[in-house]
Amino acid sequence: QVQLVESGGGLVQAGGSLRLSCAASGRTFSRYAMGWFRQAPGKEREFVAAISWSLGNTYYADSVKGRFTTSRDNAKDTVYLQMNSLKPEDTAVYYCAAATRIIPRSTWPSSYEYQHWGQGTQVTVSS
């Protein structure tokens, strides 16, 4: 079992920055990729970014490319999402998720590929 705990959310003005953290514990050796997703009120959960645990390969949604960066610290079992140039439309609950089997990079944006999820952290961007 993998446990994930997000932190770092909050209220920020448009144009500002936040860094989210996702600390993993439990069967950490079984993680293949870590994903970030978000869900705004009344909308479906959507993919934001993902990173492979071993090689650090990344994948971003077009809506955040160039503004968000995901990284990982293997020693701390933690994944980060640095969010810059935030916009009001980035307002959502952000979730990190762990995929515990090898999956094609093309499927990283699919929430169905992830077996473990954190509780989420709220990000609110004011205009």
Side-chain angles (χ1 to χ4, degrees):
Q1 191 75 354
V2 177
Q3 292 82 41
L4 304 173
V5 178
E6 301 101 334
S7 60
L11 173 64
V12 65
Q13 288 188 332
S17 298
L18 282 174
R19 189 177 81 156
L20 305 184
S21 299
C22 174
S25 61
R27 292 172 59 91
T28 57
F29 62 86
S30 66
R31 284 168 290 138
Y32 172 72
M34 299 292 291
W36 290 96
F37 292 79
R38 66 187 181 186
Q39 188 166 19
K43 295 187 177 181
E44 293 187 354
R45 187 171 298 186
E46 66 172 352
F47 171 75
V48 175
I51 185 168
S52 64
W53 196 255
S54 59
L55 298 179
N57 296 324
T58 56
Y59 193 136
Y60 296 95
D62 288 342
S63 59
V64 306
K65 202 172 294 183
R67 300 189 297 123
F68 291 10
T69 302
T70 187
S71 60
R72 88 269 190 253
D73 185 330
N74 290 19
K76 295 182 178 179
D77 282 331
T78 300
V79 175
Y80 304 98
L81 184 67
Q82 177 66 45
M83 305 185 294
N84 299 327
S85 302
L86 282 161
K87 305 175 181 180
E89 52 263 44
D90 294 318
T91 295
V93 177
Y94 283 70
Y95 300 88
C96 67
T100 56
R101 60 185 180 91
I102 297 175
I103 55 175
R105 187 171 181 270
S106 60
T107 68
W108 287 9
S110 173
S111 61
Y112 297 105
E113 298 288 7
Y114 298 84
Q115 293 76 39
H116 304 281
W117 292 79
Q119 82 287 353
T121 185
Q122 176 70 47
V123 171
T124 303
V125 185
S126 63
S127 57

